[in-house]
Amino acid sequence: MRNFWLLARHEYRKLVSKRSFLVGTLGFPLIIMMVMAAGIFIAIRGDQNTPIGYVDNAGLINTAVVPQTDEDETLLPLRPFPNETAARQALTDQEIQVYFVIPADYRRTLQLDAYYWQDDPSSTVVSDFNAYLRANLASDYPASIRTRLVEGPDLVVRSADGSREFNSRNIFSFFIPFIAAFFFIFVVMSSSGYLLQVVTDEKENRTVEIMITTVSPGQLIGGKALGLLAVSLTQVVIWVLAGVVAVFIGSFFIEALRFISVPWSLLLVVIFFFVPAYAFIAGIMTAIGSAVTELTQAQQIAGILNLLFLLPFFFTALFLANPNSPILVFLTLFPTTSFITVMMRWGMSTVPLWQLALSWLILVGSAMLSVWVAARVFRTGMLRYGQSLSLKEALTAVRSRS
Amino acid sequence: MSTVSVSSVRKNFGRVTAVKDVSFEVFPGEIFGLLGPNGAGKTTTIRMMLDIFEPDGGEISVFNGRIDEAKKKRIGYMPEERGLYKDLQLEQTLVFLGTLKGLAENDAKARLEGWLKRLDLYDHRQKKIQELSKGMQQKAQLIATLLHEPDLIVVDEPFSGLDPVNTRLVKDIIEEQREAGKTIIMSTHQMYQVEALCNRIVLISNGRTVLYGEVSQIKREFSGNAIVLEGQGDFSNVPGVLEARRQNGAWHLALNSSVNPQQVFRHLAQQDGLQIERFEIAEPSLDDIFVRVVQEGKEAEEVRYA
């Protein structure tokens, strides 16, 4: 058992100390930060507390009516103008960043015009002016109705068993299972990709013969698989933390980010499906790495197989339109696609218990078969220097005694 | 009690029989030569001995029983197909391999320092393996084999890629290990090294044990089957001679077991174009014995299939 941990630690240290790991791991959070910074810039740009001008030909806005806001939230100031000429002059003099012209027939047409220089008004400008308009339009109604009208509908869709809920204010939460699915397929595939590389390297470096006279093949592959999994998890943890920090900072500037909630029930899927899914693909990659002689050859075969694991992402539209369609039920049960399909359906629908149970059993069975086959192909293929195993030889190895 | 006992082992790979019937025993304090032509089954035999392959028949005992994880830590193996992690530093690689063999990291580092200094690698310890010369990598591999002070040492072609100075150094180290009571199995094609180092040998040909015993005894048994000749003319096509080679102006002829030196002498004396100046019955070298046994084995095999 000591050697198992030594191998895991060795693989972890070896990869983590590489420059490519640092670039790959820190590059992604940098991109997230840049995207978030761009979003914040777009959200706040041009605001600078410069007032919003308006010409009210409909007699709609009473400056005494102020929309309700959170304690820490302040609206951009409004500045009325008697006519468009005065407003235009103020815009030219940069006293205001935009002015709206509310026509006399606004209540009938619900249309108004906005005037500004070159850049579109920011979302803050639009939402603040909307808030003033709504507050004034609803000012004649009793307080309870006024609040409902101003805040708009709060639509909550809940599954019949109450286990799942979707809130219209919570639009980003809708995508969390998709994002989680992406992250976990990344972990599984990058770890197994590393494993493929490591197994091929052992053969190319001719180190495998020394290793297997020191540790058992199970310890060798198991220890490496664990170390490489830890590498991928380290990457994802750093990325998720960067994402959480970015969302936290962004929530001060982008309203929709404030309502994100994590569907914690998704953790159950991860707990049950992650290990067998990883063992399944790790077994396949070990067998490929053992059977071929060069990494490029191994990557070509693995690349085709990877498509089988990424298949659910090609059906994203179907997940949104009909998450219980027969195709997605099939993908739920099929071992290469079950983990991701279950995660993606989790956000859209309620996956029946029988499908979850059957899918898990098929995945666990496939994982055990994959590891068993990999061990046999590894024993035969690992010492075939400079010569690949043919399919027939691989099948013979699987059927043989040792 | 023997350290390794191999008894009538057999191994097939599909329809190909790599090892048909090989038996030998190796004892502590000896250097044992595992010899044979290319493809004879030596490496397969070693791999069965080290539990890389499971034999299809026969029995193998290492340290008085089946090999297990604890026994693997008492073995040092230098395979013919050398290999270390090319993109890792020398010191880091050797410490890692030492810890896998049961050493604590600090112990591995402490022992390594001595070995690196002795083998002239200390100044290169921070270099990546791929930056080292072939000879340096070969010495690093020897350190990986011996760092954990194994009781059984299996070395396959330990002198390949080494210059004469390093060959001498490695030879000294192997002899030191024998003096320390370790069991050493050495596979090589360099017969003069076998003669210089090995107490006993086994010769495997075509998957079978064809010769087994003490080197001195084997040489005695084969004396009379080689002659040294000096004279005028071409002595390369003499009937009953398996191999004829020129060395330092003299001809060395390895004889087939069906002819004796007197018959060869009579034949040569009757040849008009040849003039004999010296005719001597030689103690055969292991090289001669190797050639003779392997060729006779081949001929016997051909007769069997004819």
Side-chain angles (χ1 to χ4, degrees):
Chain A
M1 203 58 192
R2 177 179 174 266
N3 282 350
F4 178 82
W5 295 113
L6 280 173
L7 283 158
R9 191 182 68 173
H10 174 74
E11 284 307 324
Y12 183 81
R13 282 183 179 174
K14 196 168 91 176
L15 262 177
V16 167
S17 62
K18 283 190 175 171
R19 200 174 301 150
S20 56
F21 174 84
L22 289 175
V23 172
T25 306
L26 300 179
F28 188 70
L30 275 177
I31 291 170
I32 289 184
M33 293 297 181
M34 282 163 67
V35 169
M36 191 55 77
I40 291 169
F41 174 75
I42 289 166
I44 64 171
R45 92 191 141 83
D47 296 349
Q48 301 154 355
N49 251 355
T50 313
I52 301 169
Y54 69 94
V55 179
D56 186 5
N57 295 323
L60 203 70
I61 293 180
N62 177 357
T63 46
V65 178
V66 179
Q68 280 186 332
T69 55
D70 294 336
E71 273 180 26
D72 56 346
E73 192 182 9
T74 51
L75 296 173
L76 290 166
L78 276 189
R79 188 169 155 192
F81 290 92
N83 52 52
E84 284 190 53
T85 312
R88 192 178 179 82
Q89 186 56 50
L91 184 67
T92 309
D93 297 342
Q94 296 186 341
E95 292 169 11
I96 54 174
Q97 54 179 308
V98 59
Y99 70 88
F100 292 90
V101 177
I102 305 170
D105 60 349
Y106 175 77
R107 284 180 193 275
R108 189 174 55 81
T109 62
L110 298 178
Q111 302 243 333
L112 49 73
D113 296 318
Y115 294 87
Y116 50 89
W117 297 118
Q118 285 187 341
D119 296 334
D120 292 348
S122 70
S123 61
T124 312
V125 167
V126 174
S127 71
D128 282 7
F129 191 70
N130 274 341
Y132 282 113
L133 265 184
R134 283 181 183 206
N136 279 281
L137 284 167
S139 61
D140 295 339
Y141 292 97
S144 59
I145 297 173
R146 194 168 61 224
T147 308
R148 207 53 5 252
L149 280 172
V150 169
E151 288 184 2
D154 189 4
L155 184 68
V156 177
V157 181
R158 204 170 275 127
S159 65
D161 62 0
S163 64
R164 216 67 44 74
E165 188 175 293
F166 170 65
N167 193 322
S168 62
R169 282 167 170 263
N170 191 359
I171 192 74
F172 282 107
S173 305
F174 182 71
F175 294 105
I176 284 188
F178 280 78
I179 296 166
F182 169 77
F183 272 126
F184 280 102
I185 198 68
F186 169 82
V187 171
V188 168
M189 301 206 70
S190 66
S191 310
S192 54
Y194 285 142
L195 189 60
L196 180 75
Q197 188 176 346
V198 162
V199 172
T200 328
D201 276 354
E202 289 280 347
K203 273 184 82 173
E204 282 184 11
N205 286 341
R206 309 286 200 259
T207 40
V208 69
E209 199 162 354
I210 295 179
M211 296 307 289
I212 50 169
T213 50
T214 305
V215 298
S216 68
Q219 279 181 336
L220 179 66
I221 296 300
K224 284 177 181 291
L226 181 69
L228 299 171
L229 177 64
V231 171
S232 300
L233 284 175
T234 304
Q235 271 186 318
V236 165
V237 166
I238 291 171
W239 293 351
V240 169
L241 282 178
V244 169
V245 170
V247 167
F248 178 72
I249 295 169
S251 66
F252 288 104
F253 304 95
I254 302 167
E255 192 181 5
L257 293 177
R258 284 170 215 161
F259 300 103
I260 285 183
S261 67
V262 179
W264 293 109
S265 60
L266 201 64
L267 267 181
L268 280 176
V269 180
V270 175
I271 289 168
F272 278 97
F273 280 76
F274 181 70
V275 172
Y278 179 55
F280 180 49
I281 190 167
I284 292 173
M285 294 302 169
T286 303
I288 294 171
S290 312
V292 302
T293 52
E294 288 172 4
L295 182 61
T296 45
Q297 208 182 349
Q299 282 170 335
Q300 282 167 355
I301 300 170
I304 296 165
L305 279 172
N306 281 346
L307 285 178
L308 280 178
F309 289 87
L310 295 171
L311 211 53
F313 289 107
F314 295 106
F315 291 92
T316 304
L318 195 58
F319 279 98
L320 298 170
N322 184 7
N324 294 320
S325 78
I327 292 175
L328 297 185
V329 171
F330 172 76
L331 293 180
T332 303
L333 301 178
F334 196 66
T336 62
T337 51
S338 55
F339 180 37
I340 295 308
T341 309
V342 168
M343 285 188 88
M344 288 171 78
R345 282 178 73 194
W346 203 258
M348 309 292 135
S349 168
T350 303
V351 185
L353 191 62
W354 73 265
Q355 286 181 23
L356 283 175
L358 186 59
S359 165
W360 186 79
L361 285 173
I362 292 172
L363 180 61
V364 169
S366 306
M368 288 164 77
L369 182 69
S370 156
V371 170
W372 182 78
V373 168
R376 291 183 161 249
V377 175
F378 179 75
R379 269 190 94 101
T380 306
M382 64 189 168
L383 298 174
R384 292 277 294 257
Y385 303 127
Q387 197 185 359
S388 300
L389 280 187
S390 67
L391 187 62
K392 193 179 164 192
E393 285 171 322
L395 289 173
T396 307
V398 170
R399 286 196 297 261
S400 70
R401 221 158 52 88
S402 66
Chain B
M1 187 177 287
S2 62
T3 310
V4 175
S5 168
V6 174
S7 175
S8 305
V9 289
R10 184 165 47 81
K11 181 68 188 174
N12 301 313
F13 294 105
R15 290 181 190 165
V16 179
T17 304
V19 175
K20 292 169 187 162
D21 182 9
V22 169
S23 302
F24 58 85
E25 278 187 300
V26 193
F27 296 91
E30 73 168 338
I31 302 174
F32 184 80
L34 181 60
L35 315 177
N38 297 329
K42 300 186 300 291
T43 303
T44 304
T45 303
I46 290 174
R47 287 175 178 173
M48 283 192 283
M49 218 170 69
L50 298 177
D51 197 36
I52 298 172
F53 297 147
E54 199 174 324
D56 294 326
E59 281 185 13
I60 293 175
S61 166
V62 178
F63 296 123
N64 206 23
R66 263 188 78 91
I67 201 162
D68 55 29
E69 295 305 306
K71 286 179 181 174
K72 281 183 180 178
K73 292 194 167 76
R74 296 174 63 193
I75 300 173
Y77 177 40
M78 184 159 87
E80 186 182 9
E81 290 284 354
R82 313 271 193 261
L84 293 168
Y85 297 106
K86 290 188 169 55
D87 56 345
L88 287 188
Q89 288 176 341
L90 174 64
E91 186 179 34
Q92 190 186 358
T93 304
L94 294 176
V95 168
F96 170 61
L97 292 174
T99 54
L100 284 180
K101 285 289 189 183
L103 292 178
E105 201 166 310
N106 287 339
D107 289 345
K109 279 182 182 166
R111 287 188 194 185
L112 184 60
E113 191 179 327
W115 278 110
L116 289 174
K117 283 178 177 166
R118 184 171 181 192
L119 290 169
D120 230 4
L121 290 172
Y122 188 73
D123 293 338
H124 306 281
R125 66 191 186 283
Q126 302 298 339
K127 282 186 183 169
K128 286 185 176 177
I129 301 282
Q130 63 197 5
E131 293 166 10
L132 302 178
S133 70
K134 197 181 170 195
M136 286 176 178
Q137 290 187 31
Q138 172 88 339
K139 290 192 283 183
Q141 195 96 40
L142 186 71
I143 296 175
T145 309
L146 300 175
L147 187 65
H148 59 292
E149 296 180 357
D151 296 315
L152 170 61
I153 299 160
V154 183
V155 283
D156 203 344
E157 292 294 353
F159 308 108
S160 70
L162 294 179
D163 60 37
V165 175
N166 283 311
T167 299
R168 165 55 57 193
L169 183 61
V170 171
K171 215 164 149 181
D172 289 346
I173 289 169
I174 291 175
E175 282 187 320
E176 271 171 28
Q177 297 293 319
R178 169 172 54 190
E179 280 158 22
K182 307 293 173 70
T183 308
I184 299 147
I185 299 176
M186 182 173 81
S187 176
T188 180
H189 287 123
Q190 296 180 14
M191 291 301 147
Y192 63 96
Q193 299 290 12
V194 177
E195 287 202 63
L197 285 169
C198 293
N199 308 68
R200 296 187 310 124
I201 59 162
V202 64
L203 178 59
I204 301 171
S205 180
N206 207 16
R208 294 176 198 279
T209 302
V210 288
L211 201 60
Y212 173 50
E214 284 185 19
V215 174
S216 54
Q217 178 63 30
I218 288 169
K219 286 178 83 169
R220 268 198 301 276
E221 282 172 15
F222 279 80
S223 66
N225 282 91
I227 49 179
V228 179
L229 267 176
E230 280 180 27
Q232 306 297 320
D234 181 9
F235 295 91
S236 61
N237 288 312
V238 181
V241 172
L242 287 170
E243 189 199 40
R245 65 172 194 276
R246 283 203 85 161
Q247 197 178 334
N248 299 329
W251 287 88
H252 290 251
L253 307 185
L255 306 186
N256 195 313
S257 59
S258 59
V259 297
N260 58 44
Q262 286 73 21
Q263 288 170 309
V264 175
F265 183 77
R266 272 198 296 274
H267 172 81
L268 292 175
Q270 288 164 6
Q271 305 304 310
D272 293 336
L274 298 174
Q275 191 181 336
I276 302 169
E277 292 165 0
R278 177 182 158 211
F279 187 96
E280 193 177 300
I281 296 173
E283 185 183 59
S285 65
L286 264 185
D287 211 45
D288 295 331
I289 296 170
F290 182 98
V291 170
R292 182 179 148 186
V293 171
V294 170
Q295 288 206 349
E296 284 183 352
K298 264 190 200 163
E299 284 163 15
E301 202 79 8
E302 281 163 15
V303 169
R304 196 181 304 165
Y305 288 111

Short mmCIF file of all heavy atoms in Angstrom, two decimals, chain A residues 15-44:
data_model
loop_
_atom_site.label_atom_id
_atom_site.label_comp_id
_atom_site.label_asym_id
_atom_site.label_seq_id
_atom_site.Cartn_x
_atom_site.Cartn_y
_atom_site.Cartn_z
N LEU A 15 3.79 16.15 -12.35
CA LEU A 15 2.97 16.96 -13.26
C LEU A 15 2.76 18.38 -12.76
O LEU A 15 2.80 19.33 -13.53
CB LEU A 15 1.60 16.29 -13.44
CG LEU A 15 1.47 15.45 -14.70
CD1 LEU A 15 0.13 14.77 -14.76
CD2 LEU A 15 1.63 16.33 -15.94
N VAL A 16 2.54 18.49 -11.44
CA VAL A 16 2.25 19.82 -10.89
C VAL A 16 3.46 20.76 -11.02
O VAL A 16 3.30 21.96 -11.14
CB VAL A 16 1.77 19.68 -9.43
CG1 VAL A 16 1.75 21.01 -8.71
CG2 VAL A 16 0.37 19.09 -9.40
N SER A 17 4.66 20.16 -11.01
CA SER A 17 5.86 21.01 -11.09
C SER A 17 6.17 21.44 -12.53
O SER A 17 7.07 22.23 -12.76
CB SER A 17 7.06 20.28 -10.51
OG SER A 17 7.31 19.13 -11.26
N LYS A 18 5.41 20.93 -13.49
CA LYS A 18 5.67 21.31 -14.89
C LYS A 18 5.12 22.69 -15.19
O LYS A 18 4.06 23.07 -14.69
CB LYS A 18 5.03 20.29 -15.85
CG LYS A 18 5.82 19.02 -15.94
CD LYS A 18 5.33 18.14 -17.05
CE LYS A 18 6.24 16.94 -17.20
NZ LYS A 18 5.72 15.95 -18.11
N ARG A 19 5.81 23.44 -16.03
CA ARG A 19 5.39 24.79 -16.36
C ARG A 19 4.04 24.78 -17.08
O ARG A 19 3.20 25.64 -16.87
CB ARG A 19 6.46 25.44 -17.25
CG ARG A 19 6.38 26.95 -17.26
CD ARG A 19 7.51 27.56 -18.02
NE ARG A 19 8.81 27.19 -17.45
CZ ARG A 19 9.92 27.07 -18.16
NH1 ARG A 19 9.90 27.27 -19.44
NH2 ARG A 19 11.05 26.76 -17.58
N SER A 20 3.85 23.75 -17.92
CA SER A 20 2.59 23.69 -18.69
C SER A 20 1.39 23.57 -17.75
O SER A 20 0.32 24.10 -18.03
CB SER A 20 2.63 22.49 -19.65
OG SER A 20 2.88 21.31 -18.93
N PHE A 21 1.59 22.89 -16.60
CA PHE A 21 0.49 22.77 -15.64
C PHE A 21 0.15 24.15 -15.07
O PHE A 21 -1.01 24.53 -14.97
CB PHE A 21 0.88 21.81 -14.52
CG PHE A 21 -0.14 21.74 -13.41
CD1 PHE A 21 -1.24 20.91 -13.51
CD2 PHE A 21 -0.01 22.52 -12.27
CE1 PHE A 21 -2.20 20.87 -12.52
CE2 PHE A 21 -0.95 22.48 -11.27
CZ PHE A 21 -2.04 21.65 -11.39
N LEU A 22 1.18 24.89 -14.69
CA LEU A 22 0.95 26.21 -14.10
C LEU A 22 0.25 27.14 -15.10
O LEU A 22 -0.71 27.83 -14.75
CB LEU A 22 2.28 26.83 -13.66
CG LEU A 22 2.92 26.18 -12.44
CD1 LEU A 22 4.28 26.81 -12.17
CD2 LEU A 22 2.04 26.36 -11.21
N VAL A 23 0.72 27.10 -16.34
CA VAL A 23 0.12 27.96 -17.37
C VAL A 23 -1.35 27.56 -17.57
O VAL A 23 -2.25 28.41 -17.58
CB VAL A 23 0.91 27.84 -18.69
CG1 VAL A 23 0.19 28.56 -19.82
CG2 VAL A 23 2.31 28.42 -18.51
N GLY A 24 -1.59 26.24 -17.71
CA GLY A 24 -2.96 25.76 -17.95
C GLY A 24 -3.87 26.04 -16.77
O GLY A 24 -5.04 26.42 -16.93
N THR A 25 -3.35 25.88 -15.56
CA THR A 25 -4.18 26.03 -14.37
C THR A 25 -4.49 27.50 -14.08
O THR A 25 -5.61 27.84 -13.74
CB THR A 25 -3.47 25.40 -13.15
OG1 THR A 25 -3.13 24.07 -13.49
CG2 THR A 25 -4.37 25.40 -11.93
N LEU A 26 -3.49 28.34 -14.20
CA LEU A 26 -3.71 29.75 -13.88
C LEU A 26 -4.27 30.54 -15.06
O LEU A 26 -4.89 31.59 -14.87
CB LEU A 26 -2.40 30.39 -13.40
CG LEU A 26 -1.81 29.73 -12.15
CD1 LEU A 26 -0.50 30.41 -11.76
CD2 LEU A 26 -2.78 29.78 -10.97
N GLY A 27 -4.09 30.01 -16.26
CA GLY A 27 -4.59 30.70 -17.45
C GLY A 27 -6.11 30.79 -17.47
O GLY A 27 -6.68 31.83 -17.78
N PHE A 28 -6.75 29.69 -17.06
CA PHE A 28 -8.22 29.66 -17.11
C PHE A 28 -8.84 30.68 -16.15
O PHE A 28 -9.71 31.46 -16.56
CB PHE A 28 -8.69 28.24 -16.80
CG PHE A 28 -10.16 28.04 -16.99
CD1 PHE A 28 -10.72 28.04 -18.26
CD2 PHE A 28 -10.99 27.85 -15.90
CE1 PHE A 28 -12.08 27.86 -18.44
CE2 PHE A 28 -12.35 27.67 -16.06
CZ PHE A 28 -12.90 27.67 -17.34
N PRO A 29 -8.40 30.74 -14.87
CA PRO A 29 -8.95 31.77 -13.99
C PRO A 29 -8.69 33.18 -14.52
O PRO A 29 -9.53 34.06 -14.37
CB PRO A 29 -8.19 31.57 -12.66
CG PRO A 29 -7.72 30.18 -12.70
CD PRO A 29 -7.50 29.84 -14.13
N LEU A 30 -7.54 33.36 -15.16
CA LEU A 30 -7.25 34.69 -15.72
C LEU A 30 -8.28 35.06 -16.78
O LEU A 30 -8.76 36.19 -16.84
CB LEU A 30 -5.85 34.70 -16.33
CG LEU A 30 -4.71 34.99 -15.36
CD1 LEU A 30 -3.38 34.89 -16.08
CD2 LEU A 30 -4.87 36.39 -14.77
N ILE A 31 -8.63 34.05 -17.61
CA ILE A 31 -9.63 34.30 -18.65
C ILE A 31 -10.97 34.64 -18.00
O ILE A 31 -11.66 35.57 -18.41
CB ILE A 31 -9.75 33.07 -19.59
CG1 ILE A 31 -8.47 32.95 -20.41
CG2 ILE A 31 -10.96 33.19 -20.50
CD1 ILE A 31 -8.35 31.66 -21.20
N ILE A 32 -11.34 33.86 -16.94
CA ILE A 32 -12.61 34.12 -16.23
C ILE A 32 -12.62 35.56 -15.70
O ILE A 32 -13.58 36.30 -15.85
CB ILE A 32 -12.80 33.13 -15.06
CG1 ILE A 32 -13.11 31.73 -15.61
CG2 ILE A 32 -13.93 33.60 -14.14
CD1 ILE A 32 -13.41 30.72 -14.52
N MET A 33 -11.50 35.92 -15.07
CA MET A 33 -11.40 37.26 -14.49
C MET A 33 -11.54 38.35 -15.57
O MET A 33 -12.19 39.36 -15.38
CB MET A 33 -10.05 37.44 -13.77
CG MET A 33 -9.89 36.57 -12.54
SD MET A 33 -11.08 36.98 -11.26
CE MET A 33 -10.63 35.86 -9.98
N MET A 34 -10.91 38.08 -16.71
CA MET A 34 -10.97 39.06 -17.79
C MET A 34 -12.39 39.18 -18.33
O MET A 34 -12.88 40.30 -18.59
CB MET A 34 -10.00 38.67 -18.92
CG MET A 34 -8.55 39.00 -18.59
SD MET A 34 -7.37 38.14 -19.63
CE MET A 34 -7.71 38.88 -21.20
N VAL A 35 -13.07 38.03 -18.49
CA VAL A 35 -14.45 38.05 -18.98
C VAL A 35 -15.33 38.81 -17.99
O VAL A 35 -16.16 39.65 -18.37
CB VAL A 35 -14.97 36.60 -19.20
CG1 VAL A 35 -16.47 36.59 -19.44
CG2 VAL A 35 -14.24 35.96 -20.38
N MET A 36 -15.13 38.50 -16.70
CA MET A 36 -15.93 39.15 -15.66
C MET A 36 -15.64 40.65 -15.63
O MET A 36 -16.57 41.46 -15.52
CB MET A 36 -15.60 38.50 -14.30
CG MET A 36 -16.54 38.88 -13.20
SD MET A 36 -18.27 38.54 -13.57
CE MET A 36 -18.32 36.79 -13.33
N ALA A 37 -14.37 40.99 -15.77
CA ALA A 37 -14.02 42.41 -15.76
C ALA A 37 -14.66 43.13 -16.94
O ALA A 37 -15.18 44.25 -16.80
CB ALA A 37 -12.50 42.57 -15.81
N ALA A 38 -14.68 42.44 -18.09
CA ALA A 38 -15.30 43.04 -19.28
C ALA A 38 -16.80 43.23 -19.03
O ALA A 38 -17.37 44.29 -19.37
CB ALA A 38 -15.08 42.14 -20.49
N GLY A 39 -17.44 42.22 -18.39
CA GLY A 39 -18.88 42.30 -18.08
C GLY A 39 -19.17 43.47 -17.14
O GLY A 39 -20.11 44.25 -17.36
N ILE A 40 -18.30 43.60 -16.13
CA ILE A 40 -18.49 44.68 -15.16
C ILE A 40 -18.28 46.03 -15.84
O ILE A 40 -19.05 46.96 -15.64
CB ILE A 40 -17.50 44.51 -13.98
CG1 ILE A 40 -17.90 43.28 -13.16
CG2 ILE A 40 -17.50 45.75 -13.09
CD1 ILE A 40 -16.88 42.85 -12.14
N PHE A 41 -17.28 46.07 -16.71
CA PHE A 41 -17.00 47.32 -17.41
C PHE A 41 -18.20 47.75 -18.26
O PHE A 41 -18.63 48.90 -18.23
CB PHE A 41 -15.76 47.16 -18.29
CG PHE A 41 -15.48 48.35 -19.16
CD1 PHE A 41 -14.95 49.51 -18.61
CD2 PHE A 41 -15.77 48.32 -20.52
CE1 PHE A 41 -14.71 50.61 -19.41
CE2 PHE A 41 -15.53 49.42 -21.32
CZ PHE A 41 -15.00 50.56 -20.76
N ILE A 42 -18.76 46.72 -18.96
CA ILE A 42 -19.92 47.03 -19.81
C ILE A 42 -21.08 47.49 -18.93
O ILE A 42 -21.83 48.40 -19.26
CB ILE A 42 -20.31 45.79 -20.65
CG1 ILE A 42 -19.24 45.55 -21.73
CG2 ILE A 42 -21.68 45.96 -21.30
CD1 ILE A 42 -19.32 44.20 -22.40
N ALA A 43 -21.22 46.82 -17.73
CA ALA A 43 -22.35 47.13 -16.85
C ALA A 43 -22.24 48.55 -16.28
O ALA A 43 -23.23 49.23 -16.10
CB ALA A 43 -22.41 46.11 -15.72
N ILE A 44 -21.01 48.97 -16.00
CA ILE A 44 -20.91 50.25 -15.27
C ILE A 44 -20.38 51.40 -16.13
O ILE A 44 -20.36 52.53 -15.69
CB ILE A 44 -19.99 50.12 -14.04
CG1 ILE A 44 -18.56 49.81 -14.48
CG2 ILE A 44 -20.51 49.08 -13.08
CD1 ILE A 44 -17.55 49.88 -13.34
#
